[in-house]
Amino acid sequence: MWDSNLARNERRFVNVIVQYLGRERQIDYVDPNFKYHSPPGSPIALRYNPDNPDDVVIDYSALS
């Protein structure tokens, strides 16, 4: 997880690397609150397209 150099209302977005199904992907411009819910190294819920597993997003609904 690292700073993306993009901010909204003085809150900086982060980029993260996720690993799943033997893959590793970068997800850019993640909501700034994410780093408080899931510090680096934490397991997180993801959603991916079974027809195209490289298409992955963070499951924000599972964080609440």
Side-chain angles (χ1 to χ4, degrees), residues 1-7 12-18 25-32 34-35 38 40 44 58 60:
M1 179 180 310
W2 65 97
D3 184 38
S4 70
N5 296 319
L6 179 69
R12 299 186 74 81
F13 290 86
V14 295
N15 295 338
V16 297
I17 298 283
V18 295
R25 300 284 297 166
Q26 179 173 321
I27 301 176
D28 295 327
Y29 310 120
V30 176
D31 186 279
F34 177 76
K35 63 186 169 189
S38 304
I44 59 170
I58 295 170
Y60 287 103

Side-chain angles (χ1 to χ4, degrees), residues 3-61:
D3 184 38
S4 70
N5 296 319
L6 179 69
R8 176 180 60 205
N9 298 329
E10 298 182 22
R11 296 177 55 219
R12 299 186 74 81
F13 290 86
V14 295
N15 295 338
V16 297
I17 298 283
V18 295
Q19 296 174 334
Y20 63 101
L21 301 177
R23 291 173 158 72
E24 184 174 281
R25 300 284 297 166
Q26 179 173 321
I27 301 176
D28 295 327
Y29 310 120
V30 176
D31 186 279
N33 285 330
F34 177 76
K35 63 186 169 189
Y36 302 112
H37 292 286
S38 304
S42 299
I44 59 170
L46 300 173
R47 290 183 180 229
Y48 66 91
N49 179 349
D51 295 327
N52 180 10
D54 288 332
D55 185 13
V56 62
V57 295
I58 295 170
D59 185 357
Y60 287 103
S61 64

